[in-house]
Amino acid sequence: MKASDLMVAALEAEGVEYVFAVPGEENLDLLESLRTSAITLVLARHEQGAGFMAATYGRLTGKACVCLATLGPGATNLTTPAAYAALGAFPLVIITGQKPIKTSKQAQFQIVDVVSLFTPLCKASTQIVNGNRIPSLVREGFRLAQEERPGAVLLELPEDIAEEETIEPVIPPHYRRYAVAGDAALDEAAERIIAAERPLLLIGAGANRRRASKALRKFVSDTGFPFFDTQMGKGVVDEDSELYLGTAALSSGDYVHCAIEKADLIVNIGHDVVEKPPFFMEPGGQTVIHINYKAAEVDQVYFPQLEVIGDIAGSVERLGNRLDGKLQCDRSYYTVLHHEIASHISETSDDERFPMVPQRVVADVRSVMARDDIVALDNGIYKIWFARNYIANEPGTILLDNALATMGAGLPSAMMAAMLSPGRRVLAVCGDGGFMMNSQELETAVRLGLNLVVLVLNDAAYGMIRWKQDQLGFPDYGLTFSNPDFVTYAQSYGATGHRVERSADLVAVLNAAFEAGGVHLVDLPVDYSENKKVLIDELGAKVCEL
């Protein structure tokens, strides 16, 4: 068969459902092979949109998805999604085209060394130089992309290789089991936990994959272990629990850090140092037990004293058996702090000011979303408010990027969530700056017939950087802009636009949009004056009781 047909057959063998693409002429053989396959081609309006959608598929399913682009500028536009997948640990396979490599009739026109460009961002970056290599390279690419720690893989398919004839068979995938932690490590971890006076559990990004959530929920329920989570660990264990002590949206100084300071031992499950540190370890401080698929990556603020390495779910189950009925720690302080944090978060959640304050925005969004509905956040100052104030009940229901933390990913991520979960409400929450970076994907969402609501928080500025600028005492300069009429803008793509003009109207507008179905954009003016008041002044003045 033709090499491009073999490539598609190999993708089908891997279970690929979608290819998200902005094709170029160097991809035309592969595009023709996709046309007659069982794989659905989703044409995006920018390579970033295609890449973010494919990476989010991997994030939500654990299976690598594919994005496709041409050579040169098409490939370079996928560097940000590659970094997004690499830092976020989302399985992703990137396929790019290239000019013929056996003969050259266009000199260096559009030629970029794509393989070298992607090497620092990917677990593997390879040019296919012979059609017979396709089965092994595809199989190895998907294995690497999906294996812990997941990430991105690039395969470059030159156009003359794509049209070659080949006779190689496809290599079928096989199931891989992860090794379990050794008994000695689990025994020592259990002994240290039982001996601790105030142990505390931290749930990180690595626990938000595979089957770890089920094991962790049982572990917390059986042991009564007080816990907090990182931004990318939200929802692994139900945050409505009385044992929940908050999300570490900041690295220090928040209410949850009162619990961290009181703890004498922290069990850190699934932590990944690419996330903003949830707390800072210090010499002579608490003992930290690292439980993860891979050994700890040590740095100045993270150097655990004990490591339990292996499949997280298996480690948690076996550790829970060792702790059964033996965890007799002092939870009194954690109980007081739980109620104090809940009270703090509820402050100003019914504030009538307009433009709306972020606490009210989060509370109103929470009120219209069911336990398993999905909120996908872009990146901006509002992400901190959602991390602290939004109670997540299920894994994969609040999609935060606390690794690369790139703007422009919120809308494509929400689109992918809506494709995978058509029966659930899906809300994209974007700042006006981040939304405009990939707003053209509204057309893609409409064309795909998605049910999706996009909430655009409008402050006509790059709000996070403006807040930092103010923190540093610099004059307000260089970070404000003008926006289009978002209602008309949405309508120009065939979506429905709404503008909120009173705080009391947001819930009704969101509910009406979800009930109507289709793609909706809601323009919401926001007031970020609470950033300094709460996140700097109030937290700076807080006192950890007891």
Side-chain angles (χ1 to χ4, degrees):
M1 64 175 69
K2 193 166 70 170
S4 62
D5 292 335
L6 178 59
M7 185 83 161
V8 170
L11 297 180
E12 288 177 321
E14 296 291 342
V16 173
E17 297 179 276
Y18 303 101
V19 169
F20 298 92
V22 180
E25 60 186 272
E26 292 75 24
N27 306 124
L28 288 177
D29 284 289
L30 189 59
L31 197 64
E32 172 59 17
S33 298
L34 283 168
R35 183 180 66 82
T36 55
S37 75
I39 297 171
T40 299
L41 177 76
V42 178
L43 188 68
R45 301 307 301 269
H46 193 282
E47 290 86 357
Q48 274 197 14
F52 289 142
M53 291 183 75
T56 303
Y57 179 100
R59 178 181 192 173
L60 292 173
T61 67
K63 300 187 300 181
C65 194
V66 175
C67 58
L68 171 69
T70 189
L71 80 172
T76 59
N77 280 341
L78 285 176
T79 54
T80 300
Y84 178 72
L87 270 68
F90 310 143
L92 173 68
V93 172
I94 301 166
I95 300 175
T96 56
Q98 188 53 274
K99 293 293 184 188
I101 56 174
K102 296 178 181 178
T103 60
S104 174
K105 296 180 181 180
Q106 299 192 52
Q108 294 300 306
F109 175 65
Q110 285 196 306
I111 299 295
V112 173
D113 185 350
V114 172
V115 172
S116 296
L117 176 68
F118 278 80
T119 295
L121 301 173
C122 292
K123 298 178 78 174
S125 181
T126 307
Q127 183 185 72
I128 300 173
V129 298
N130 188 301
N132 291 333
R133 293 291 315 281
I134 286 173
S136 59
L137 290 176
V138 169
R139 176 79 281 272
E140 179 66 2
F142 275 79
R143 182 190 71 80
L144 285 172
Q146 293 169 169
E147 189 173 70
E148 289 291 340
R149 181 178 179 269
V153 167
L154 176 120
L155 296 173
E156 182 183 71
L157 181 63
E159 59 179 321
D160 56 346
I161 304 300
E163 63 185 17
E164 280 185 351
E165 292 297 318
T166 179
I167 58 172
E168 287 298 306
V170 167
I171 299 174
H174 62 279
Y175 182 73
R176 185 196 191 287
R177 290 187 178 275
Y178 286 88
V180 297
D183 287 334
L186 286 163
D187 289 343
E188 184 177 351
E191 289 171 7
R192 292 198 183 198
I193 292 169
I194 292 167
E197 294 184 11
R198 285 202 186 98
L200 189 59
L201 181 68
L202 169 60
I203 300 169
N208 215 346
R209 297 196 288 272
R210 305 185 187 278
R211 57 191 183 92
S213 177
K214 181 179 178 181
L216 268 164
R217 288 177 176 231
K218 185 176 188 303
F219 179 81
V220 169
S221 174
D222 290 351
T223 62
F225 222 124
F227 72 96
F228 69 108
D229 49 34
T230 69
Q231 293 185 43
M232 294 177 72
K234 286 182 71 66
V236 174
V237 177
D238 189 348
E239 294 176 350
D240 266 330
S241 169
E242 289 285 320
L243 297 167
Y244 172 62
L245 295 170
T247 297
L250 306 173
S251 295
S252 63
D254 208 343
Y255 286 89
V256 67
H257 295 98
C258 294
I260 294 167
E261 291 166 12
K262 292 288 184 181
D264 55 349
L265 180 142
I266 297 175
V267 180
N268 200 345
I269 299 182
H271 177 57
D272 195 324
V273 294
V274 300
E275 276 209 83
K276 188 178 179 67
F279 66 95
F280 298 128
M281 286 188 68
E282 297 178 357
Q286 305 100 325
T287 297
V288 172
I289 299 175
H290 173 92
I291 300 179
N292 213 327
Y293 298 100
K294 299 184 73 173
E297 186 176 337
V298 174
D299 66 12
Q300 288 182 317
V301 297
Y302 190 63
F303 42 91
Q305 293 91 343
L306 175 63
E307 299 189 45
V308 178
I309 306 304
D311 176 72
I312 287 180
S315 296
V316 168
E317 289 168 1
R318 296 171 70 203
L319 181 60
N321 292 336
R322 287 165 166 79
L323 298 178
D324 188 20
K326 300 176 182 177
L327 192 63
Q328 305 297 324
C329 59
D330 179 6
R331 300 180 182 84
S332 58
Y333 178 69
Y334 296 144
T335 300
V336 171
L337 188 60
H338 168 83
H339 293 291
E340 184 178 345
I341 291 171
S343 175
H344 172 75
I345 286 175
S346 67
E347 291 174 2
T348 66
S349 61
D350 57 356
D351 196 302
E352 294 290 339
R353 275 179 286 175
F354 193 84
M356 289 182 71
V357 297
Q359 300 97 311
R360 174 71 184 269
V361 174
V362 177
D364 283 1
V365 166
R366 177 68 276 185
S367 73
V368 302
M369 306 298 281
R371 289 177 59 90
D372 63 346
D373 289 339
I374 300 170
V375 174
L377 297 180
D378 206 275
N379 275 277
I381 187 64
Y382 51 88
K383 188 179 75 171
I384 293 177
W385 290 105
F386 271 86
R388 295 176 82 245
N389 292 33
Y390 190 91
I391 299 299
N393 304 119
E394 301 290 340
T397 56
I398 180 161
L399 303 181
L400 288 160
D401 170 20
N402 193 36
L404 183 64
T406 179
M407 297 170 72
L411 173 58
S413 294
M415 290 165 59
M416 189 69 254
M419 290 177 68
L420 289 171
S421 303
R424 295 151 73 179
R425 289 185 171 186
V426 177
L427 177 72
V429 180
C430 306
D432 44 9
F435 171 71
M436 289 302 293
M437 290 185 178
N438 277 307
S439 62
Q440 71 281 348
E441 299 303 341
L442 277 179
E443 187 278 329
T444 310
V446 171
R447 175 166 29 95
L448 294 173
L450 300 181
N451 293 316
L452 172 68
V453 177
V454 183
L455 180 63
V456 178
L457 305 180
N458 189 344
D459 69 332
Y462 292 119
M464 171 72 89
I465 312 307
R466 199 180 187 194
W467 174 54
K468 293 287 187 180
Q469 188 179 56
D470 181 55
Q471 274 187 272
L472 294 171
F474 295 140
D476 187 1
Y477 172 73
L479 296 170
T480 59
F481 44 73
S482 297
N483 283 316
D485 181 326
F486 284 124
V487 172
T488 305
Y489 186 73
Q491 292 168 347
S492 72
Y493 285 116
T496 303
H498 310 264
R499 180 171 293 108
V500 176
E501 297 180 336
R502 297 187 310 153
S503 294
D505 294 341
L506 178 58
V507 168
V509 169
L510 291 175
N511 276 324
F514 280 121
E515 289 163 8
V519 180
H520 294 254
L521 183 151
V522 178
D523 178 6
L524 177 65
V526 291
D527 173 10
Y528 284 130
S529 63
E530 290 285 292
N531 293 345
K532 182 176 185 302
K533 174 179 175 291
V534 175
L535 300 179
I536 297 176
D537 297 342
E538 287 186 7
L539 290 183
K542 82 175 193 320
V543 175
C544 293
E545 301 294 337
L546 302 180

